[in-house]
Every structure is written in structure tokens, then in C-alpha cells.
């Protein structure tokens, strides 16, 4: 399988090269040249999750299944649950990994690939996080020999528990609080990749959803969700910020996974819903919301969504549905779900709200639950008056000291820090 740079057709790579480079020339995103269509879907759906995932990823990457299988088995070593919330809606719980968010799937698969492909030269993983990527990446790379991870996050815009989960590890994990929003953090990472000195001297790599390994890993759980619905075709709703998760779902559909529609729910940072409605790509300033991991107004993965739509020959507005949900409705969703006996974090609750409004009679739906509710215990306490018990992963870090440096949102300061 070749991976094409979507902004520069003259730049292509093998999977291994694409994973090691992260971003292509001119900050372009790598994407498979073609999406393989699965044969024998029913037999595939009958397989256990890890084995099916190894087969899917072998198809998508072009690697031998014998190479992929051990990476997948080690990366996806935590449970995945799908829970019926009522008679038409199911919660696909993706947050049972070590950092309690769906990003463990992609980060752990990517870390496994980089270890497998390593030639022993030092690597610096530079990544920006709006809250959950940082923890997933930090845990995936902590104590991996030959790798240093540098993680940027918007100071004061992630929850204290999110911060504790990745800023207290130390060792080969450096965390940097940036006095700016997430879009600035993301722009600083991209700028670092354009800096030849940094790139070469540090062996820069990115673990953001711009890295195609993360994206492809996420395709696998859409197949698992449909497998558990025993042949019923769902409407999927995915809470979306950088649009990596929803892109993975669209790749699954392009591979032949049956689904009725794909719905991307955003918070009021609604660049995509407005774009699908009026055709104007017009990002506004990013606004802080309860679903902070989605406080993004320039979603990185959107060129990949456009590429899929173009290949399918379908206008983008018919290819994907997208709606924005306010903080008020998100709070109402948390309360409404609790009344059904289901505790959801704000991102997942927001997706349920959009899904519930979109389902027609007779349709069934699945919403992606992207974070453990305890990561957003403060929001849930405010919304419902209920204290969420801390799972062991959070109880272990809640009293530890945050080790982050703080710098302004200025690339020259990041450069100094990286070369230090
Ligand atoms: C990252 C994240 C999202 C958004 O996922 P994208 O792939 O960036 O669209 C949603 N919910 C949670 C909890 C997240 O951490």
C-alpha cells in the first residue's frame, strides 16, 4: 500500500515511512492511495476483535499480517464494551485503556509500530493535546527506550485530572503548558516539523491524529461495534474535534462496513457543520466548552474526509452529517442519560444528544463514548450533583505534582526548549 501526501501528489510513502515521518512535505497528511474493500464480511465479523483488527490493518497498511498481529495484540490489550442505553441506542465504550480515553487505541498502535520499525536512532515524539491525546501518548511511550515525548497543551484549558494523568510521569515524558489555545499548540507542532534542524537533530515524529497509524487503528472498533449488533445497520455518531475518529469510521464504511449514516457531533466550535451547510470554510476563534477535547476550530483531519468523499464521488454534504451541540444541551444530555441509568462524560453525552435527535423511527444508533466519565468528574458533579468515583488510574495520580514547564504560544520559545 502506498500512502499519498494529500497536499503534494509528488510525495508518497510506504506505511513505515509515513508513520516515521508523521507529516509529509508542506505539512501534508498521508492517506492510503486506495481503501481496500473487505471480502467475506460476515466471516470477518465473526472473528475475535484482535484477530479481525490484525487482518484489517494488514489490508490497510500493506504489512504482512504476521508483522501486524503482535503489534495489535499488545496495543489492544484492554476491554472494549458496547452497552445498550435504551432499545434503540448503544454506547460504544472506547475508554477502558490506561489513559481512559479512546486515544489509547491509536497511541498504543502507533507506539508499537514505531518500536517495530526503529533503526535505533533517537526519536522525539512532539505532539499537541487538547486533553486526552497527551495522556494516551505519554502512557504509550513512557519508558520506551530511545524515545523522548514532548507534549504541548493549552494551559488552564484541560481539567486538573486530565493534567495529572500525563504531566506527573517524568522520565522520558516532558510536558509543556502553552499560554494559548489548542489551535496554537497544534500550529507550533506543525512549525517544528517545517524546521529542518529540529527535524533532523531530534528525529522528530508526531503522535497527533495527523499520524496515519493512529487513524488506521481506530477503524477497527467500528467493525467490532457492528459485529456486536448482529447484522443490524446503525447510525454512528462520533463526538468530533480534529475529526480523526470520524475519519476512521468513514474509512470503515469505505471498506464495506454497513452503516446507515455517519454523524459528526461538535460543540460550538462548529467550523464543519457550518461548512457542510453553506460550503464556506470559515473557522472562528476557538471557544472553551465543557467538551474541551473538541475545542478546535481548524480540524486537522478534514482533508482526509474530503479525499474520501471525492473518491466516492459524493458531495461532501451528503457524505457526512454534522451538527453542533451547545454546552446547555450537553449538560441536559448528561442529566437525561443519567435518568436512563447511564453516566457519560460531556463528549460522549453530546454525541448521544445529536444521535437521539437524528434517529428516525426504526433506526438504531451507536454513539462513541470517547472518555471515562471520571475524567470529567467536575462537570458531572455540576450537572447532576453526583460524585463520580475515581477509577484506580486516576486515584493513583490525583495527589502527584505536575512537572510541566510553562511557555508563551511563541515558536521560538518552543525551539529553545526542544534544543536545550
Ligand atoms: C480527542 C477527543 C475527541 C475528538 O476526537 P477527534 O478524533 O479529534 O475528532 C472527542 N472526545 C474525547 C474525549 C477526546 O479526547
Amino acid at each position: 500500500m502506498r500512502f499519498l501526501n494529500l497536499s503534494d501528489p509528488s510525495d508518497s510513502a510506504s506505511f513505515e515511512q509515513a508513520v516515521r515521518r508523521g507529516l509529509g512535505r508542506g505539512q501534508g497528511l498521508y492517506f492510503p492511495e486506495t481503501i481496500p474493500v473487505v471480502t467475506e464480511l460476515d466471516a470477518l465479523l465473526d472473528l475475535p476483535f484482535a484477530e479481525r483488527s490484525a487482518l484489517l490493518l494488514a489490508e490497510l497498511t500493506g504489512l504482512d499480517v504476521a508483522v501486524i498481529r503482535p503489534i495489535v495484540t499488545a496495543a489492544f490489550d484492554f476491554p472494549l464494551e458496547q452497552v445498550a442505553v435504551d432499545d434503540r441506542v448503544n454506547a460504544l465504550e472506547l475508554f477502558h485503556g490506561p489513559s481512559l480515553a479512546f486515544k489509547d487505541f491509536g497511541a498504543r498502535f502507533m507506539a508499537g509500530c514505531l518500536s517495530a520499525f526503529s533503526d535505533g536512532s533517537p526519536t522525539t515524539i512532539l505532539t499537541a493535546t487538547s486533553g486526552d491525546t497527551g495522556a494516551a501518548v505519554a502512557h504509550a511511550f513512557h519508558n520506551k527506550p530511545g524515545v523522548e515525548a514532548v507534549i504541548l497543551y493549552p494551559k488552564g484549558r484541560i481539567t486538573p485530572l486530565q493534567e495529572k494523568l500525563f504531566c506527573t510521569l517524568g522520565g522520558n515524558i516532558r510536558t509543556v503548558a502553552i499560554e494559548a489555545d489548542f489551535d496554537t499548540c497544534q500550529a507550533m507542532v506543525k512549525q517544528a516539523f517545517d524546521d529542518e534542524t529540529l527535524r533532523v537533530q531530534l528525529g522528530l515524529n508526531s503522535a497527533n491524529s495527523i499520524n496515519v497509524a493512529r487513524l488506521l487503528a481506530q477503524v477497527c472498533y467500528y467493525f467490532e461495534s457492528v459485529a456486536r449488533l448482529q447484522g443490524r445497520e446503525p447510525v454512528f455518531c462520533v463526538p468530533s474535534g480534529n475529526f480523526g475518529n470520524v475519519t476512521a469510521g468513514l474509512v470503515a464504511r469505505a471498506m464495506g462496513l454497513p452503516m446507515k449514516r455517519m454523524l459528526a457531533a461538535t460543540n460550538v466550535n462548529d467550523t464543519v457543520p457550518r461548512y457542510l451547510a453553506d460550503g464556506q470554510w470559515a473557522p472562528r476563534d476557538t471557544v472553551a466548552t465543557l467538551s474541551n477535547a473538541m475545542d478546535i476550530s481548524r480540524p486537522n483531519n478534514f482533508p482526509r474526509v474530503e479525499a474520501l468523499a471525492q473518491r466516492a464521488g459524493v458531495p461532501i454534504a451528503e457524505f457526512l452529517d454534522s451538527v453542533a451541540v451547545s454546552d446547555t444541551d450537553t449538560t441536559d444530555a448528561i442529566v437525561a442519560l443519567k435518568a436512563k441509568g447511564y453516566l457519560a462524560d460531556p463528549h460522549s453525552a453530546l454525541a448521544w444528544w445529536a444521535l437521539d435527535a437524528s434517529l428516525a423511527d426504526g433506526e438504531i444508533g451507536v454513539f462513541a463514548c470517547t472518555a471515562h466519565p471520571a475524567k470529567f468528574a467536575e462537570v458531572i458533579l455540576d450537572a447532576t450533583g453526583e460524585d463520580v468515583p475515581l477509577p484506580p488510574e486516576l486515584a493513583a495520580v490525583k495527589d502527584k505534582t505536575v512537572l510541566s514547564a510553562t511557555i508563551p504560544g511563541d515558536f521560538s520559545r518552543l525551539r529553545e526548549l526542544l534544543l536545550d
Side-chain angles (χ1 to χ4, degrees):
M1 176 70 74
R2 294 302 289 173
F3 286 73
L4 303 183
N5 177 334
L6 294 179
S7 354
D8 181 351
S10 71
D11 174 20
S12 75
S14 66
F15 176 67
E16 182 176 330
Q17 289 166 327
V19 176
R20 289 170 61 144
R21 288 180 203 159
L23 266 179
R25 268 205 297 273
Q27 306 188 349
L29 301 170
Y30 286 115
F31 200 59
E33 183 171 25
T34 55
I35 303 296
V37 176
V38 299
T39 50
E40 320 234 3
L41 179 71
D42 290 342
L44 190 67
L45 291 179
D46 281 344
L47 293 174
F49 177 60
E51 179 58 18
R52 180 191 322 111
S53 300
L55 294 176
L56 290 170
L57 287 165
E59 289 286 326
L60 282 165
T61 61
L63 291 181
D64 200 289
V65 70
V67 174
I68 282 281
R69 190 179 284 119
I71 301 176
V72 168
T73 310
F76 298 173
D77 67 343
F78 53 89
L80 185 165
E81 312 282 354
Q82 187 156 276
V83 181
V85 167
D86 56 31
D87 54 12
R88 58 178 202 159
V89 173
N90 299 276
L92 174 61
E93 295 184 347
L94 303 172
F95 55 69
H96 297 292
S99 77
L100 307 175
F102 80 98
K103 295 194 169 84
D104 284 323
F105 285 94
R108 293 172 68 77
F109 177 67
M110 180 188 158
C113 287
L114 282 176
S115 296
F117 304 156
S118 170
D119 58 8
S121 54
T123 301
T124 303
I125 302 292
L126 176 64
T127 195
T129 180
S130 59
D132 290 323
T133 297
V137 167
H139 284 268
F141 288 97
H142 191 214
N143 293 332
K144 279 238 180 339
V147 180
E148 195 182 8
V150 180
I151 302 169
L152 315 185
Y153 62 100
K155 188 176 172 70
R157 300 201 193 194
I158 66 176
T159 73
L161 281 176
Q162 279 179 312
E163 190 175 35
K164 297 273 183 176
L165 205 46
F166 71 100
C167 301
T168 58
L169 291 169
N172 64 334
I173 310 297
R174 282 168 90 186
T175 51
V176 188
I178 306 290
E179 291 167 316
D181 61 16
F182 171 73
D183 290 285
T184 305
C185 299
Q186 186 153 268
M188 289 167 82
V189 168
K190 285 187 172 178
Q191 222 176 329
F193 274 85
D194 273 350
D195 187 313
E196 196 61 23
T197 312
L198 287 181
R199 215 175 153 131
V200 173
Q201 208 162 314
L202 303 175
L204 270 197
N205 199 309
S206 162
N208 272 34
S209 52
I210 49 186
N211 194 300
V212 75
R214 275 191 50 189
L215 183 81
L216 297 185
Q218 295 169 1
V219 171
C220 301
Y221 47 69
Y222 289 94
F223 280 82
E224 179 67 11
S225 172
V226 171
R228 293 193 191 190
L229 293 173
Q230 276 136 7
R232 297 204 292 163
E233 246 181 81
V235 176
F236 276 108
C237 184
V238 180
S240 297
N242 244 334
F243 280 66
N245 202 3
V246 83
T247 304
L250 294 169
V251 169
R253 184 171 75 182
M255 293 182 85
L257 185 69
M259 59 182 79
K260 285 206 82 170
R261 323 188 264 295
M262 179 60 86
L263 176 60
T266 70
N267 58 32
V268 294
N269 296 291
D270 59 352
T271 306
V272 171
R274 284 185 292 110
Y275 172 64
L276 297 185
D278 67 12
Q280 304 293 315
W281 186 261
R284 296 182 183 144
D285 287 347
T286 306
V287 177
T289 73
L290 295 177
S291 46
N292 62 16
M294 304 177 354
D295 291 348
I296 297 173
S297 48
R298 292 180 160 73
N300 244 328
N301 278 291
F302 212 71
R304 288 175 167 143
V305 177
E306 302 248 38
L308 282 169
Q310 208 169 29
R311 289 180 193 178
V314 176
I316 187 78
E318 289 165 34
F319 191 71
L320 175 68
D321 289 345
S322 189
V323 296
V325 178
S326 69
D327 270 0
T328 314
D329 288 345
T330 301
T331 306
D332 287 352
I334 293 170
V335 173
L337 279 170
K338 184 174 175 249
K340 291 174 181 286
Y342 192 76
L343 208 54
D345 94 283
H347 307 75
S348 314
L350 172 158
W352 171 78
W353 185 265
L355 177 65
D356 193 61
S358 148
L359 284 182
D361 279 351
E363 287 185 334
I364 61 156
V366 174
F367 65 107
C369 290
T370 47
H372 191 291
K375 280 186 118 168
F376 295 88
E378 300 90 343
V379 179
I380 293 180
L381 180 62
D382 283 351
T384 67
E386 180 160 319
D387 258 322
V388 188
L390 287 191
E393 294 84 346
L394 286 175
V397 294
K398 82 174 184 352
D399 297 322
K400 290 199 174 164
T401 307
V402 169
L403 303 170
S404 307
T406 298
I407 62 170
D410 173 351
F411 179 67
S412 63
R413 294 291 298 278
L414 175 65
R415 198 169 187 280
E416 275 167 29
L417 182 142
L418 287 172
L419 289 172
D420 186 11

